[in-house]
Amino acid sequence: MSSERLAVKLIEYARLFHYEAQPIGRRRTATTGPAWLRWYPVFPRILFLLTGASRARLTDRIHDLQAMAAQHPHVTALAREAPLGATILEDIEQHGPTAPVWVPLTGGALRSWTNL
């Protein structure tokens, strides 16, 4: 998946995070909240598992996702509330999914997906 498509996906997750359904024919009330609260008690982690290109290209895609998390207002707001991470499939295959192979999209050292 190209960097552009990954960016679009990340923006769509951010839009879902902020989306509040409006009741038809009614005014917005203080009790309405994000639509995702109907299904989840907390917004789930967003993890990108990248494959299908060279390591250099996949690393560039992770850097592009980090830039999106830092620059796009909706994604930045999402990143303050929900863990965002990315890794390369070969790292998971070599070290395992709970190893510190996940790059936090907000920056910082590699870590386990449970510590994002």
Side-chain angles (χ1 to χ4, degrees):
M1 187 175 296
S2 69
S3 290
E4 293 82 16
R5 287 189 59 203
L6 288 170
V8 167
K9 267 193 179 307
L10 191 52
I11 292 168
E12 287 173 352
Y13 284 122
R15 290 181 67 200
L16 173 64
F17 179 76
H18 294 288
Y19 176 73
E20 293 186 22
Q22 301 300 312
I24 297 175
R26 297 187 200 166
R27 293 184 145 191
R28 186 176 184 177
T29 65
T31 59
T32 61
W36 58 265
L37 282 172
R38 292 186 215 152
W39 297 281
Y40 304 104
V42 295
F43 200 79
R45 287 178 179 85
I46 299 174
L47 304 174
F48 291 92
L49 182 60
L50 305 178
T51 190
S54 69
R55 177 167 285 279
R57 182 162 293 193
L58 296 176
T59 301
D60 287 343
R61 289 181 185 158
I62 291 172
H63 292 309
D64 291 343
L65 287 168
Q66 287 178 312
M68 178 64 67
Q71 296 174 5
H72 192 281
H74 287 308
V75 178
T76 301
L78 170 63
R80 285 192 295 267
E81 302 293 328
L84 307 174
T87 194
I88 298 171
L89 178 62
E90 288 78 19
D91 293 339
I92 295 267
E93 291 173 338
Q94 184 176 8
H95 302 288
T98 57
V101 296
W102 293 90
V103 177
L105 297 188
T106 55
L110 295 175
R111 57 189 73 163
S112 169
W113 70 271
T114 58
N115 294 326
L116 284 172

